[in-house]
Structure formats: C-alpha cells, structure tokens
C-alpha cells in the first residue's frame, strides 16, 4: 500500500481533534471517551511498561471499531519518558502497529539515528497497514520550520508533525506560513506549544493542519498550552471554524487567567454567530497590531498592560476612550481602519444605575488607576457627586483635577457618608496579598458597596460589607457589562447576558 493511500484512507475518518492520553490508565480513559470521541493518541512512553498495554490496545479496537489510534513512544532524549534506544522505540511502535494502531508516531531524531540494519525494520513498518507520522518538537523556541520540513522529507512519512514552542505571538505566525506552503500536500499537522501558541491549536485546521491535539480534561495536558477536548469542541467550536468564521480575541499579559474567552465564545455560540474569540498573549502594542492585521481580526478586547499603549496606533478613537486615556475595545471598520473605544465606563455605570439613581448620588471611588479613572468619569457624567481616595494622594488629586471632582484625604473619611463606595484597587484579587484600602468602620459610611475585583467573587471587602448589612454589587457585574457592550458593538445583536453570566460563574468556580 503506498503511503499516500494510507492517509487518503484514514482522512475521511479523522476528526479535527486528536485527544492525547497518557499514564497507566490511558486505555481505560480512551474506552470511557469513545462514546463521545473517536480519535486518540496513546503516549505509550508514559506507561510503566509500554509493551504490557498493547493487548489492551488491540482489545479496545476490537470492541470499538470506530476508534482511530496514534501510538507514540517518545524517548527521554526527545522530551518523552521512554528510556530505551531508537531501536527500542521502533520495535515497540512496530508491535503497536501489529496490535492495530492506525498511525505510528516516530520521532525525527529516532528515524535519523537508526542504523542501516534497522532501516529494514522501518521499511517493514512502512509496509504495515499503519501510517507513518514523523514528528519533531522544540520545547523552547520556533526555529526555521521549512528547514525542519526539509530534514523530514527524506524519510517520506505519510504525515509530518511539526511542533515548535511559541514564546511570542509572532513566533506562532510561522505555523500558518508553513501550512500554507504545504497546502497542496495536505499532510502536515502543526501547532505551537506555549501560551502565545494557543491560537495555532484553535485555528490549526483552518490554516490547513490535518488535525490538532487536545487534552482529555483540563488537568491532563500532555504539552504546554494544550487545551482540553470539551473546551476546544464546545467553547471554541473547532469543528465549525471555517475560512468564513470571523476572528476576535483578547490581548494582554498575562492572559491565561482571563475569563473573556469563556464569556465571549459563549455569547457567539448562544446567538449562532459564526465567530471565535482567542486568548492572545502579548504585552507589546506593536505585536498586538501586527496580530490584528495578520489574523484579519474583526475586533479585539484589550487588557493589562495595553489599554493606554494602544491609543496612538488607533485610527479612529472614540471621544470617551480619548477622555479616559484608555481603550479596551478595538473594532475593524470597513477597510483597514481600526476604531478604538472604551466599554469599562459603561461596565461600571450601567450595573450601578440598575440599583440607584446616579444623578445626585454621592460616590467614593477607591484607587486612581485605570479602573478608577473609568469609574470617576462615567459616574460624574451620569450626574453623581464623586470623590476619589487613593493610597498615593497626589494621584487622587491629579485624577480629581482632570475630572473636576474631589480628592479625599483618608483622615476625613470618618466624617463622611456616601451612597456608594466603589473599590477600584486590586485589593482582594486572588493571589495578591496587599493592605486593605479601607477598614471596617470606614466602610460602614456607605449604603451600597461595589467591588470591581471579580476573582474571587466573594472578595474580603464584599464579605465585610455583607457582614455589616450593606448591600453589595459584585465585580462580575462590571466584567459582564463591559463584555456585553463589546459583543453588541461588534455584532449589532443583543448580548445573551444570562448565558454569559452562567458561563463566567462556572469558570470562576472551577478556578477557585
Ligand atoms: P491600576 O491601574 O494598577 O491601579 C490600581 C490603583 O489601586 C492605584 O491607584 C493604586 O494606588 C491602588 N492600590 C493598589 N494597592 C492598593 C492598596 N493596598 N491600598 C490602596 N490602594 C491601592 O489597576 P486598575 O487597572 O485600575 O485595576 C484595579 C482593579 O480593578 C483590578 O485589580 C481589577 O481587579 C479591577 N478591575 C475589574 C474589572 C472588571 O471587569 N470587573 C475591570 C478592570 C479592573 P497607587 O496610586 O498608590 O499605586
């Protein structure tokens, strides 16, 4: 059987996602998942005795004939766990082929190390029914991938698997370039490890990768940046991504903890919008705009530390974003223009307006950073009387002066009463232990407390306010309102707020 005919025979049965399984129970897990998924990679090298589980492999294929299996036995020298020689790897993979594995993943380094004698064994493997997938990984960087492909070509594999590590978004652009260059052959599986490479795991099949890899669940990733099956299938809806699917994303650093992909992808799914929203890790405005153009994004969210840095590069800046000195929303205007806006201000004022009449209300904002600035201008513009209190008094004074409101020295707080206190400092954020900006008796001077911190949901100040019988507004309300405003701006459709809320609440519970 010629090599290409092996791939042609398999191709119609291959889903876009291959679930990588590892550990002693990998075949039990494959059997459990087989009801909902059919394509698995077995990392035989992670089993204590790889040869001993081959009868289970054969048994699984007998009972579940729809299942397609890749057998991999990566040696320690190539980043795996198998202590054997190149000959041992080849021998084990030949046995896996005999047991029924459909694809055999042989490392490029192993193929290159085989002696003349063992090349006969490799030829025997080629003549088996299993297709040969030749794989190459770089766990640190993205070198010239075309040179890697050239190195692989003499071994004439059925499939080329090329997996570098992206340390920047720019690195990850090498993957679509490679896939495009080999689009006629349609025999490359390529993605980048690492957080900036995540876009290549989601968009790989759209770029031309034969499939992509997923973990069986969030705790079982076998490579850095690997996403779990349900997230890739149900949240990113990878089986539905086509050339027509509009691309959006969130830029910032760090980005792995962001709940925006959960919130916005849920909104796209619930409204039947053909769009996907990607986590895009960068702290560089240059790289942000390069990525925006390179991926032809229809829109993007911007978060720390980029909200201010993006301003000079925006073609059409909304006056509110100009006034706040920060943009959190980018949209592609017809043509190539990028418009920038700010939905943080509405994210603060809208939920509050649902609880009290803002016109005439007295409001104290804690903090003088970006979130505080959005709060001060938004609430002032809705007719509230605003005061700012900040750890560094000069920054409070500066913001107060710009907005035409009052800077409050902390010692006067004991003598004041407010309708609302808004916490716009990071105090209470998960994994940050800093001094509280306000104490229990000072907090008691308000009728409503709004904590902009949303992770965790129950912040120390929310707990304190509730213990004093003060009604509270949770930070998730701002997060949802600014995200819903972005969705509505981009799509012109009403945001499915309840579904977005449930998705974010679930994600917050899982991450706590
Ligand atoms: P930022 O620009 O870094 O500003 C932080 C402000 O908090 C600064 O004014 C800082 O005071 C003050 N601060 C820091 N630690 C303090 C402490 N221990 N006691 C008193 N004041 C302290 O941050 P940001 O972008 O405005 O964000 C602030 C918080 O808002 C974030 O941590 C985030 O949790 C929340 N947020 C929520 C949402 C949402 O969607 N819910 C959106 C954006 C932000 P100095 O001037 O003295 O340094």
């Amino acid at each position: 059987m010629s090599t290409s005919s092996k791939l042609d025979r398999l191709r119609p049965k291959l889903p876009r996602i291959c679930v990588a399984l590892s550990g002693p129970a990998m075949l039990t897990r494959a059997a459990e998942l087989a009801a909902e998924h059919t394509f698995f990679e077995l990392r035989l090298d992670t089993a204590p005795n790889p040869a001993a589980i081959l009868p289970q492999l054969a048994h699984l294929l007998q009972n579940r004939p729809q299942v397609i299996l890749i057998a991999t036995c990566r040696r320690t020298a190539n980043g795996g766990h198998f202590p054997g020689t190149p000959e041992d790897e080849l021998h084990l993979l030949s046995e896996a082929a005999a047991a029924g594995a459909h694809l055999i993943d042989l490392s490029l380094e192993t193929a290159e190390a085989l002696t003349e004698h063992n090349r006969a064994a490799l030829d025997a493997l080629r003549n088996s029914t299993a297709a040969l997938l030749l794989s190459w990984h770089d766990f640190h960087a993205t070198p010239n991938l075309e040179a890697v492909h050239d190195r692989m070509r003499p071994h004439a594999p059925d499939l080329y698997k090329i997996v570098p590590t992206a340390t920047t978004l720019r690195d990850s652009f090498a993957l679509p370039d490679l896939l495009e260059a080999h689009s006629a052959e349609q025999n490359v599986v390529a993605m980048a490890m690492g957080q900036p490479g995540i876009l290549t795991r989601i968009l790989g099949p759209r770029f031309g990768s034969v499939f992509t890899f997923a973990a069986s669940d969030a705790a079982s990733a076998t490579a850095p940046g690997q996403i779990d099956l349900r997230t890739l299938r149900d949240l990113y809806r990878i089986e539905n991504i086509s050339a027509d699917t509009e691309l959006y994303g969130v830029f910032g650093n760090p980005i792995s903890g962001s709940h925006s992909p959960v919130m916005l992808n849920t909104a796209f799914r619930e409204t039947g919008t053909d769009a996907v929203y990607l986590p895009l890790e960068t702290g560089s405005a240059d790289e942000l705009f390069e990525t925006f153009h390179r991926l032809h994004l229809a829109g993007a969210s911007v978060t720390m530390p980029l909200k201010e840095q993006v301003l000079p590069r925006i073609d059409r800046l909304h006056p509110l974003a100009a006034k706040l000195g920060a943009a959190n929303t980018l949209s592609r205007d017809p043509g190539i223009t990028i418009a920038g806006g700010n939905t943080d201000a509405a994210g603060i004022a809208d939920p509050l307006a649902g609880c009290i009449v803002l016109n005439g209300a007295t409001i104290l904002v804690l903090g003088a950073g970006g979130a505080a600035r959005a709060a001060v201008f938004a609430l002032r513009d809705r007719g509230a009387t605003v005061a700012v209190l900040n750890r560094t008094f000069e920054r409070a004074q500066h913001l107060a002066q710009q907005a035409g409101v009052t800077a409050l020295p902390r010692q006067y707080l004991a003598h004041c009463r407010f309708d609302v206190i808004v916490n716009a400092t990071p105090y209470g954020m998960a994994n940050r232990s800093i001094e509280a900006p306000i104490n229990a008796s000072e907090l008691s001077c308000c009728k409503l407390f709004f904590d902009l911190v949303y992770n965790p949901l129950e912040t120390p100040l929310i707990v304190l306010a509730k213990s004093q019988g003060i009604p509270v507004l949770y930070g998730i309300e701002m997060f949802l309102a600014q995200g819903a405003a972005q969705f509505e701006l981009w799509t012109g459709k009403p945001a499915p707020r309840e579904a977005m809320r449930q998705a974010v609440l679930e994600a917050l519970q899982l991450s706590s």
Side-chain angles (χ1 to χ4, degrees), residues 304 307-308 344 366-373 389-393 395 423-427 429 432 434-438 451-455 475-480 482:
M304 290 222 310
K307 288 182 185 182
E308 294 85 16
D344 282 340
L366 305 176
R373 195 173 170 83
L389 188 154
N390 190 46
R391 180 175 61 183
T392 309
F393 183 65
R395 283 190 78 195
N423 175 39
T425 78
Y427 175 72
M429 270 178 90
R432 288 232 199 148
I434 50 178
E435 202 188 319
I438 192 165
D451 200 337
L452 301 189
V453 174
Y454 77 94
N455 189 9
I476 190 177
E477 299 305 332
M478 174 187 176
F479 184 63
L480 288 168
Q482 60 81 31

